[in-house]
Amino acid sequence: MILKCATILENTGLTVADCAAFGEGQNDLAMLSLVGHPIVMGNASDQIQMAGQFITKTNHHSGFSYGLKKYITKVNQKVG
């Protein structure tokens, strides 16, 4: 996953500070630590939630959609 993220960054000219990622499990920690805006699902363990800049709703409560609407918009307003 990290290699794919790095390839996307290289091809788009974005930096890790520009990027966000969503995660909820131990397997997501490396990805969350790579990006500038780690967003963690509300159903993640406390350890995983500590890795997030934002905590969104759970998977069962449309957390991904909510995170996009609330946090990505908020980040874009600060940057742009």
Side-chain angles (χ1 to χ4, degrees):
M1 177 60 88
I2 297 300
L3 183 57
K4 290 180 184 180
C5 290
T7 301
I8 291 169
L9 292 176
E10 185 177 310
N11 291 336
T12 61
L14 295 172
T15 67
V16 292
D18 299 321
C19 297
F22 287 79
E24 66 174 342
Q26 189 74 28
N27 62 315
D28 297 321
L29 281 176
M31 176 182 63
L32 293 170
S33 69
L34 175 70
V35 299
H37 306 285
I39 301 171
V40 177
M41 303 305 291
N43 52 289
S45 70
D46 291 342
Q47 177 192 12
I48 306 302
Q49 287 189 11
M50 288 175 48
Q53 180 180 17
F54 301 114
I55 309 298
T56 187
K57 295 181 179 184
T58 67
N59 290 340
H60 298 296
H61 292 99
S62 304
F64 182 77
S65 175
Y66 181 82
L68 283 177
K69 290 176 188 171
K70 182 171 182 175
Y71 301 119
I72 300 301
T73 301
K74 185 177 182 179
V75 168
N76 282 338
Q77 289 173 349
K78 286 182 180 179
V79 174

